[in-house]
Amino acid sequence: MGVLRLAHVDISAPDLELAAAYYTQVIGMDISERTEDSLYLKCWDERDHHSVAVRFDPRVGIDRFSFKVEHEDDLDHFERRIEQYGYAVERVSKGDAVGQGESIRFETPSGHEMELVADITKVGGRLPLLNPAPYVDGLVGIAPPRLDHLLIHAEEVPEMAHFMRTTMDFHLTEQVLSGEGHMMGAFLQRSLKPHDIAIIQGPNGALHHFAFWLDDWDHVRRAADILAYNGISIDIGPTRHGITRGNTIYFFDPMGTRNEVFTGGYRPDPDFPTITWTEDQLGRAIFYYEGRDNGRFLTVHT
Amino acid sequence: MGVLRLAHVDISAPDLELAAAYYTQVIGMDISERTEDSLYLKCWDERDHHSVAVRFDPRVGIDRFSFKVEHEDDLDHFERRIEQYGYAVERVSKGDAVGQGESIRFETPSGHEMELVADITKVGGRLPLLNPAPYVDGLVGIAPPRLDHLLIHAEEVPEMAHFMRTTMDFHLTEQVLSGEGHMMGAFLQRSLKPHDIAIIQGPNGALHHFAFWLDDWDHVRRAADILAYNGISIDIGPTRHGITRGNTIYFFDPMGTRNEVFTGGYRPDPDFPTITWTEDQLGRAIFYYEGRDNGRFLTVHT
Amino acid sequence: MGVLRLAHVDISAPDLELAAAYYTQVIGMDISERTEDSLYLKCWDERDHHSVAVRFDPRVGIDRFSFKVEHEDDLDHFERRIEQYGYAVERVSKGDAVGQGESIRFETPSGHEMELVADITKVGGRLPLLNPAPYVDGLVGIAPPRLDHLLIHAEEVPEMAHFMRTTMDFHLTEQVLSGEGHMMGAFLQRSLKPHDIAIIQGPNGALHHFAFWLDDWDHVRRAADILAYNGISIDIGPTRHGITRGNTIYFFDPMGTRNEVFTGGYRPDPDFPTITWTEDQLGRAIFYYEGRDNGRFLTVHT
Amino acid sequence: MGVLRLAHVDISAPDLELAAAYYTQVIGMDISERTEDSLYLKCWDERDHHSVAVRFDPRVGIDRFSFKVEHEDDLDHFERRIEQYGYAVERVSKGDAVGQGESIRFETPSGHEMELVADITKVGGRLPLLNPAPYVDGLVGIAPPRLDHLLIHAEEVPEMAHFMRTTMDFHLTEQVLSGEGHMMGAFLQRSLKPHDIAIIQGPNGALHHFAFWLDDWDHVRRAADILAYNGISIDIGPTRHGITRGNTIYFFDPMGTRNEVFTGGYRPDPDFPTITWTEDQLGRAIFYYEGRDNGRFLTVHT
């Protein structure tokens, strides 16, 4: 299979108490583990150790994003391919990272640290594996079942998209082309979703947002209610994307990292043809209802 | 009973063909009647002749708004009370207005022409009165079941609210007070809804918007899809009001009149206490998710 | 105005602890007051002292249903009309009933005790009257905002419907007629809803169900999830009524009283014409999706 | 990748006109091709030639079900593995089946004809590949975006499940075990859904149902409205499965084949552990709200 899905996004923030309060009470994640300088969080339907890690740092930023591969052997396979592509790969031994076994890390053409890992500690979800009710009692906050995707910036989108496709077999579901035919945005998937990772033109190394999945449009409304009730700054939404067709809200965690709740979309198999958006339709591509960026969406990142 | 509900809003527009296309294909109303200079439209679940009238005029504006009273006798009763209050009342004879019988018209303290009418021609809804299916086949566009309310401007909101309450027994469900305690907004009902008419401080005689009812939050999404698909300019939304608790989209008809689709809210009985909003909370009162006006909402009207 | 709305339904049950657990944890009502033999409960958006009362009794049944009138004077007015109609009226003094002032009680042609009351103690809802957020945090269970209606049985439906219309000005929104034209079901309203009370042919004095309002179809799903999760016996649903057009679930409280959650419907003004269902369409009238009664709906009552 | 997804279900029916009317007007599929004895249908968001084929035959039944593989080479690969497993494989040449290229067919341990195909004629979906609006105008009927899964019967469920897992790498997401630990039901996936195919104990060769995907719970309601409005026989629902967590309606096409509309569920990666249901919880496993089979669900099939 190779790369399975987005495993976790590791960010930094200057206030771990505030991060813990927000990600558990407003988002409704569970804390799996807490170390001296980091917080490891998971959604109720995730069985892996964490899908979001927050490390204390005076600066808000992204440390790395991590994708899960199916087998330990995949690490060797991808190490070779990435090195052949020309990027140095570092091995992280079991025990050197919290909640997971051996992994490989490398810098991407977009200037991010990316990780591949096969072995993540299973801590289990909120539902049992024997006769599970389809309803979970006692959830708090927005309570998304799982992490969905992330969006990063890259100075050279085509370069980063090419790297992801060539070395790790990502599929290009959608792309945005400038008037001159230059790729300004790329949407890539490995898990039969509109995107597991998206790349938009911007400063190398920057995180635009990461997104939680919601099952239903009504949960999007409830998320907006909860965000507003808790005084969280909503960037835009509830609205709809042209790209991915998904319904969405963007908002900022109290430390400044942009989050999203996302639902809808479609199921692209490997034989799904790439959808192309032209720059003159960028407004509708990003926010279908507004027909234009809100002036903050393409400029604010961490 | 006295005043029952908002009966119809009569606007003017410079292009009746465009108005007909928009109100039938995008909103999904039915045309009840067409005269040389006017268009009479109704929603599928309304039985009365029309809830929106559009008269040809080079200028976009509002001609009048009309409320239905229960009995013919109510016209005499309200004529007396309005004249005693100090406003001149004009009788319009049966036959002088399309689709309805005798009515009374008068200028309000807000500089609008208001009408009361008991007898409106029943043209029937899309559902039969014998064994009606709860589902209507073949609707097009947004297809709201009915008109819900309108919002007008008034230079002196307290004066207009007092007039509506004193002469026609409207109930004040919510009010917005300035720091000095001046009433800047008033929400008034006669039909056990958060509002049948709202009044916001602004130029006398101006219409802010009229609103169609939708049954469900999912219909709000579908409305946004249809509006965007048809290139209609969305002012704001889908979002939620603090005032009324309703979910909403504001948008402009192609001639420039602001429309709304609205759902939710609560059921205020006559013993419902008035809710008060203070000016410092005006942002959340108007748009709960955004927490602020969009800079257009309080300035653009017709 | 006269009669405003259904105020409260007073039932009896053999286990007050079980009743308290169910109505607070599964339904999500608040306990307003508890006396030696009774439990008084209200929904979060209700301001009155209670909408459901449960009295300890070895037998499950209905003690009475109570409608709110607008003014104290209305009690005199309705006392006269009901006595003229031929039914004895009893005055209950302030202090003789918990949570309310003076009331009148009388036996109806359907063999129920009915009450009218103007003065109910205001204990307030969960939302403040100053700058209320449209979202309520910390609700548990289904958490309906309010009681909606009740359905009772009567041996002679036309007689009971005539009584409600003649003495208390109820409007007949829908009726079911047998092949011979006999009225088998009557749906009556005072608060611009499809029904505040419904009457179906059956044993005098029996309660079929009382219903809580939900705002949205998605809340109906959530209610079904919560009911099933808590092992509550669902009678039928989620489904839809032909009559009233509402979406619904019927279920039994642990003591045996049928409850309903209900959403949707329409807004019938006083000039709303009566909808008629014929007996051969009774299946679709009751359960539009199933097209037939489930064999329990018309036979089980308390 | 190997097996990608359920490609098409080929059924037989005694009335092609009725089938065409139902599958286009009620379900809302498009007809891709019509031959002398068969009808080829697809959903609006499917790009392949067909997902349902209906062949004229006096008897209602299933001809075969077909899964798509990624590459032509996969056909050789799976031919070998299936033959090694002990089942004869037939090659169907390009041109011998409508709307697709070469395929392999074989009888399964459950007595069904199964097909694998790599090359299906692309006829395209309703949305363009250049700047597609996320909303499709002019759909009729229920209009599901795509086929989702099928459920077949097998006398020996473990044997069939073992065959699917061993020869074609299906993943077992959920299983139902009898008191003696015998596998009575198996849910298998290849496309990161709760199931692409399910197997329930019953007569070999029988089809229980095939299911269309819906994006939202509100679309489930709308589907129920449309089904009831068109007089389609609803088997059960709207309700919810314990197994898969999905929301659902079962109903019969006018010729007698059971259809389903389905939404929700979860996303099982290859490392997703198998969920086990015990026979004593079978009622909740199948219909979580009812807590029991409706007496027809496990006995009626085609």
Side-chain angles (χ1 to χ4, degrees):
Chain A
M1 279 290 292
V3 176
L4 294 184
R5 64 170 177 271
L6 179 60
H8 50 89
V9 178
D10 302 353
I11 61 172
S12 60
D15 187 336
L16 284 196
E17 289 313 310
L18 187 54
Y22 167 81
Y23 282 103
T24 61
Q25 299 303 303
V26 179
I27 299 296
M29 300 179 88
D30 294 319
I31 296 179
S32 301
E33 194 166 340
R34 207 168 172 155
T35 62
E36 207 175 319
D37 74 340
S38 291
L39 201 59
Y40 297 87
L41 299 131
K42 65 180 288 298
C43 298
W44 68 262
D45 202 25
E46 293 172 333
R47 278 163 301 278
D48 287 354
H49 183 271
H50 62 281
S51 55
V52 172
V54 187
R55 182 181 57 80
F56 174 80
D57 194 285
R59 203 188 71 83
V60 173
I62 178 166
D63 286 348
R64 78 189 57 76
F65 56 87
S66 182
F67 275 78
K68 195 174 184 316
V69 296
E70 189 163 12
H71 303 296
E72 291 290 331
D73 292 353
D74 288 319
L75 296 183
D76 300 332
H77 172 71
F78 288 117
E79 184 174 26
R80 266 196 313 279
R81 288 173 73 177
I82 290 158
E83 285 181 339
Q84 280 165 12
Y85 198 91
Y87 284 81
V89 174
E90 178 199 3
R91 280 267 164 180
V92 180
S93 303
K94 189 177 169 83
D96 287 353
V98 172
Q100 63 183 37
E102 200 180 19
S103 67
I104 60 173
R105 292 183 183 171
F106 44 92
E107 191 179 312
T108 63
S110 61
H112 295 86
E113 181 175 305
M114 182 170 173
E115 178 184 77
L116 296 181
V117 60
D119 169 28
I120 305 185
T121 306
K122 295 287 177 196
V123 296
R126 289 260 193 135
L127 290 178
L129 293 172
L130 183 67
N131 298 322
Y135 170 78
V136 190
D137 200 36
L139 296 174
V140 298
I142 295 170
R146 61 181 177 275
L147 185 68
D148 189 77
H149 68 267
L150 90 163
L151 192 161
I152 56 169
H153 281 303
E155 281 171 26
E156 281 302 328
V157 174
E159 206 176 304
M160 177 60 177
H162 187 260
F163 174 74
M164 299 293 283
R165 298 171 74 180
T166 307
T167 62
M168 288 172 278
D169 302 321
F170 276 78
H171 297 273
L172 183 70
T173 54
E174 310 205 25
Q175 61 180 340
V176 182
L177 299 185
S178 75
E180 295 76 36
H182 184 75
M183 187 190 279
M184 305 164 64
F187 298 78
L188 298 155
Q189 65 93 2
R190 280 294 308 165
S191 66
L192 311 188
K193 298 182 306 188
H195 52 353
D196 290 304
I197 184 167
I199 311 154
I200 297 280
Q201 201 167 298
N204 266 6
L207 171 69
H208 187 275
H209 73 269
F210 58 87
F212 297 100
W213 174 261
L214 295 182
D215 279 328
D216 217 85
W217 169 240
D218 197 73
H219 304 185
V220 174
R221 170 170 60 176
R222 198 175 153 276
D225 283 350
I226 291 171
L227 292 169
Y229 182 81
N230 286 284
I232 300 303
S233 172
I234 293 179
D235 187 8
I236 192 165
T239 184
R240 189 170 193 178
H241 295 301
I243 296 171
T244 76
R245 299 187 205 160
N247 281 104
T248 178
I249 311 170
Y250 287 106
F251 47 101
F252 294 98
D253 82 12
M255 291 71 65
T257 296
R258 192 190 272 104
N259 289 178
E260 183 188 14
V261 287
F262 179 88
T263 192
Y266 49 86
R267 293 187 73 88
D269 269 308
D271 61 343
F272 184 86
T274 298
I275 292 167
T276 298
W277 294 84
T278 51
E279 192 179 359
D280 60 310
Q281 294 295 313
L282 187 60
R284 292 240 170 261
I286 297 179
F287 298 126
Y288 186 65
Y289 297 158
E290 289 79 4
R292 61 185 175 279
D293 169 28
N294 66 354
R296 194 167 43 230
F297 189 74
L298 293 178
T299 53
V300 178
H301 46 76
T302 53
Chain B
M1 280 291 291
V3 175
L4 295 184
R5 65 171 176 270
L6 178 60
H8 51 87
V9 177
D10 302 355
I11 61 172
S12 61
D15 187 336
L16 284 196
E17 287 314 308
L18 186 56
Y22 167 81
Y23 282 104
T24 61
Q25 298 304 302
V26 179
I27 299 295
M29 302 181 84
D30 294 318
I31 296 178
S32 301
E33 193 165 342
R34 210 169 170 152
T35 62
E36 207 174 319
D37 74 340
S38 291
L39 203 57
Y40 297 87
L41 299 131
K42 66 181 285 298
C43 297
W44 68 262
D45 202 26
E46 293 172 333
R47 279 163 299 278
D48 287 354
H49 184 271
H50 62 281
S51 55
V52 173
V54 188
R55 182 182 57 81
F56 174 80
D57 194 285
R59 204 189 70 84
V60 173
I62 178 167
D63 285 348
R64 76 188 60 76
F65 57 87
S66 182
F67 274 79
K68 195 174 183 317
V69 296
E70 188 163 12
H71 303 295
E72 290 291 330
D73 293 353
D74 288 319
L75 296 184
D76 300 332
H77 170 71
F78 287 116
E79 183 173 26
R80 264 196 316 277
R81 286 172 72 177
I82 290 158
E83 286 181 338
Q84 280 165 12
Y85 196 91
Y87 284 81
V89 175
E90 178 200 3
R91 281 268 164 179
V92 181
S93 303
K94 190 179 169 80
D96 286 353
V98 171
Q100 63 183 39
E102 199 180 17
S103 68
I104 61 173
R105 292 181 182 172
F106 43 92
E107 191 179 312
T108 64
S110 61
H112 295 86
E113 182 175 306
M114 181 170 174
E115 178 184 79
L116 296 180
V117 59
D119 169 29
I120 305 185
T121 306
K122 295 287 178 198
V123 297
R126 288 259 194 136
L127 290 177
L129 293 172
L130 184 66
N131 297 324
Y135 170 78
V136 189
D137 201 35
L139 296 173
V140 298
I142 295 171
R146 61 182 177 274
L147 185 67
D148 188 78
H149 67 267
L150 90 163
L151 192 162
I152 57 169
H153 281 304
E155 283 172 25
E156 282 301 328
V157 173
E159 204 177 307
M160 178 59 176
H162 186 261
F163 173 76
M164 299 293 284
R165 299 171 75 181
T166 308
T167 63
M168 287 172 279
D169 303 320
F170 276 78
H171 297 273
L172 184 70
T173 53
E174 309 205 26
Q175 61 181 343
V176 181
L177 299 185
S178 74
E180 295 77 37
H182 184 74
M183 187 189 279
M184 304 163 64
F187 298 77
L188 298 156
Q189 65 93 4
R190 281 294 307 165
S191 66
L192 310 189
K193 298 182 306 186
H195 52 352
D196 291 305
I197 184 168
I199 311 153
I200 297 278
Q201 202 166 299
N204 267 5
L207 172 68
H208 185 276
H209 73 267
F210 58 87
F212 297 100
W213 174 260
L214 294 183
D215 280 326
D216 219 88
W217 170 240
D218 197 74
H219 303 185
V220 174
R221 170 170 62 175
R222 198 174 153 275
D225 283 350
I226 292 171
L227 291 168
Y229 182 82
N230 285 284
I232 299 303
S233 172
I234 292 180
D235 188 8
I236 192 165
T239 186
R240 189 170 193 178
H241 296 301
I243 297 171
T244 75
R245 300 187 205 160
N247 281 105
T248 178
I249 310 169
Y250 287 104
F251 47 100
F252 294 98
D253 83 13
M255 290 71 64
T257 296
R258 192 190 273 102
N259 289 179
E260 183 188 14
V261 287
F262 179 89
T263 191
Y266 50 85
R267 294 187 72 90
D269 269 309
D271 60 345
F272 184 85
T274 298
I275 291 167
T276 298
W277 294 83
T278 52
E279 193 178 1
D280 60 311
Q281 293 296 313
L282 188 58
R284 291 239 173 259
I286 297 179
F287 298 125
Y288 185 64
Y289 297 157
E290 289 78 5
R292 60 186 177 278
D293 170 27
N294 65 354
R296 196 167 43 232
F297 189 74
L298 293 178
T299 52
V300 177
H301 47 75
T302 52
Chain C
M1 281 291 292
V3 176
L4 294 184
R5 65 172 176 271
L6 179 60
H8 51 86
V9 178
D10 302 355
I11 61 172
S12 61
D15 187 336
L16 283 196
E17 288 314 309
L18 187 55
Y22 167 81
Y23 282 104
T24 61
Q25 298 304 304
V26 180
I27 298 296
M29 301 180 85
D30 295 319
I31 296 179
S32 299
E33 193 166 342
R34 208 168 171 153
T35 62
E36 207 175 320
D37 74 340
S38 291
L39 203 57
Y40 297 87
L41 299 132
K42 64 180 287 298
C43 297
W44 67 262
D45 202 25
E46 294 172 332
R47 279 164 299 277
D48 288 354
H49 182 271
H50 62 282
S51 55
V52 173
V54 188
R55 181 180 58 80
F56 173 79
D57 194 286
R59 204 189 70 83
V60 173
I62 178 166
D63 285 349
R64 75 188 59 77
F65 55 87
S66 182
F67 274 79
K68 195 174 185 314
V69 296
E70 189 163 11
H71 303 295
E72 291 289 333
D73 293 353
D74 288 320
L75 296 184
D76 301 331
H77 171 70
F78 288 117
E79 183 174 26
R80 263 196 316 278
R81 286 173 73 176
I82 290 160
E83 285 181 338
Q84 278 165 15
Y85 197 90
Y87 284 81
V89 175
E90 179 200 3
R91 281 268 163 179
V92 180
S93 303
K94 190 179 170 82
D96 287 353
V98 172
Q100 63 183 39
E102 199 179 18
S103 68
I104 61 173
R105 292 181 182 172
F106 43 92
E107 191 179 313
T108 64
S110 62
H112 296 85
E113 182 174 306
M114 181 171 174
E115 178 184 78
L116 296 180
V117 59
D119 169 28
I120 304 185
T121 307
K122 295 287 177 196
V123 296
R126 288 259 193 134
L127 291 178
L129 293 172
L130 183 68
N131 298 324
Y135 170 78
V136 189
D137 200 34
L139 296 174
V140 297
I142 296 171
R146 62 181 176 276
L147 185 69
D148 189 78
H149 67 268
L150 90 163
L151 192 161
I152 57 169
H153 281 305
E155 282 172 26
E156 282 301 327
V157 173
E159 206 175 305
M160 178 60 176
H162 186 260
F163 173 75
M164 299 294 283
R165 299 172 74 181
T166 308
T167 62
M168 287 171 279
D169 303 320
F170 276 78
H171 297 273
L172 184 69
T173 54
E174 309 206 25
Q175 62 181 340
V176 182
L177 299 184
S178 75
E180 295 76 38
H182 183 75
M183 187 190 279
M184 304 163 63
F187 297 77
L188 298 155
Q189 66 93 4
R190 281 293 309 165
S191 66
L192 311 188
K193 299 183 305 188
H195 52 352
D196 291 304
I197 184 167
I199 310 154
I200 297 279
Q201 202 167 300
N204 267 6
L207 172 69
H208 187 275
H209 74 267
F210 58 88
F212 297 99
W213 174 260
L214 295 182
D215 279 327
D216 218 86
W217 170 240
D218 197 73
H219 303 185
V220 174
R221 171 170 60 176
R222 198 175 153 275
D225 283 351
I226 291 172
L227 292 168
Y229 182 82
N230 286 283
I232 300 303
S233 171
I234 292 179
D235 188 9
I236 193 166
T239 185
R240 189 170 193 178
H241 295 301
I243 296 171
T244 75
R245 299 186 207 162
N247 281 104
T248 178
I249 310 169
Y250 287 105
F251 47 100
F252 294 98
D253 81 13
M255 291 70 67
T257 296
R258 193 190 273 102
N259 289 178
E260 184 188 12
V261 287
F262 179 89
T263 191
Y266 50 85
R267 295 186 71 89
D269 270 308
D271 60 345
F272 184 85
T274 298
I275 291 167
T276 298
W277 294 84
T278 52
E279 191 178 359
D280 60 310
Q281 294 296 313
L282 187 59
R284 291 238 172 261
I286 297 178
F287 298 125
Y288 186 64
Y289 297 157
E290 289 78 5
R292 60 187 175 277
D293 169 27
N294 65 354
R296 195 168 43 232
F297 190 74
L298 293 178
T299 53
V300 177
H301 46 76
T302 52
Chain D
M1 279 291 292
V3 176
L4 294 184
R5 65 171 175 271
L6 179 60
H8 50 87
V9 177
D10 302 354
I11 61 172
S12 61
D15 188 335
L16 284 196
E17 288 313 310
L18 187 55
Y22 167 80
Y23 282 103
T24 61
Q25 299 304 303
V26 179
I27 300 296
M29 301 180 86
D30 293 320
I31 296 177
S32 300
E33 193 165 341
R34 208 170 173 154
T35 63
E36 208 175 317
D37 73 341
S38 291
L39 203 56
Y40 298 87
L41 299 132
K42 64 180 286 299
C43 298
W44 69 262
D45 202 25
E46 294 172 332
R47 278 163 302 278
D48 287 354
H49 183 270
H50 62 282
S51 54
V52 173
V54 188
R55 182 181 57 81
F56 174 79
D57 194 285
R59 203 188 72 84
V60 173
I62 178 167
D63 285 349
R64 78 189 55 78
F65 56 87
S66 183
F67 275 79
K68 197 174 183 318
V69 297
E70 189 163 12
H71 303 296
E72 290 291 330
D73 292 353
D74 289 320
L75 295 183
D76 301 332
H77 171 71
F78 288 116
E79 183 174 26
R80 265 196 315 278
R81 288 172 72 176
I82 290 159
E83 285 181 339
Q84 279 166 11
Y85 197 91
Y87 284 81
V89 174
E90 179 198 2
R91 281 268 164 180
V92 181
S93 303
K94 191 178 168 85
D96 286 354
V98 172
Q100 62 184 38
E102 200 180 16
S103 67
I104 60 173
R105 291 182 184 172
F106 44 92
E107 192 179 311
T108 64
S110 62
H112 295 85
E113 182 175 306
M114 181 170 174
E115 179 185 76
L116 297 179
V117 59
D119 169 28
I120 305 185
T121 306
K122 295 287 178 197
V123 297
R126 288 261 192 134
L127 290 178
L129 292 172
L130 183 67
N131 298 322
Y135 170 79
V136 189
D137 201 35
L139 296 173
V140 299
I142 295 170
R146 62 182 176 274
L147 185 67
D148 188 78
H149 67 268
L150 91 163
L151 191 161
I152 56 169
H153 281 303
E155 283 172 25
E156 282 302 326
V157 173
E159 207 176 304
M160 179 58 177
H162 187 259
F163 173 76
M164 299 294 283
R165 299 171 74 181
T166 307
T167 62
M168 287 172 280
D169 302 321
F170 276 78
H171 298 273
L172 184 69
T173 53
E174 309 205 25
Q175 61 181 341
V176 181
L177 298 185
S178 75
E180 295 76 37
H182 184 74
M183 188 189 278
M184 305 164 63
F187 297 77
L188 298 155
Q189 65 93 2
R190 280 295 308 165
S191 66
L192 310 189
K193 298 181 306 186
H195 52 353
D196 290 306
I197 184 168
I199 311 154
I200 297 279
Q201 201 166 297
N204 267 5
L207 172 69
H208 186 275
H209 73 269
F210 58 86
F212 297 100
W213 174 260
L214 295 182
D215 280 327
D216 218 87
W217 169 241
D218 198 73
H219 303 184
V220 174
R221 171 170 61 176
R222 198 175 154 273
D225 283 350
I226 290 171
L227 292 168
Y229 182 81
N230 286 283
I232 300 304
S233 172
I234 292 179
D235 187 8
I236 192 165
T239 184
R240 188 170 194 180
H241 295 301
I243 297 171
T244 75
R245 299 187 206 160
N247 282 103
T248 178
I249 310 170
Y250 288 105
F251 48 100
F252 294 98
D253 83 11
M255 291 70 65
T257 296
R258 193 190 272 102
N259 290 178
E260 183 188 13
V261 288
F262 179 88
T263 191
Y266 50 86
R267 294 186 72 89
D269 269 307
D271 60 346
F272 184 86
T274 298
I275 291 167
T276 298
W277 293 84
T278 52
E279 192 179 0
D280 60 310
Q281 293 296 315
L282 187 59
R284 291 238 172 263
I286 298 179
F287 297 125
Y288 185 65
Y289 297 157
E290 290 78 4
R292 59 186 176 279
D293 169 27
N294 66 355
R296 195 167 43 232
F297 189 73
L298 293 177
T299 53
V300 178
H301 46 77
T302 53

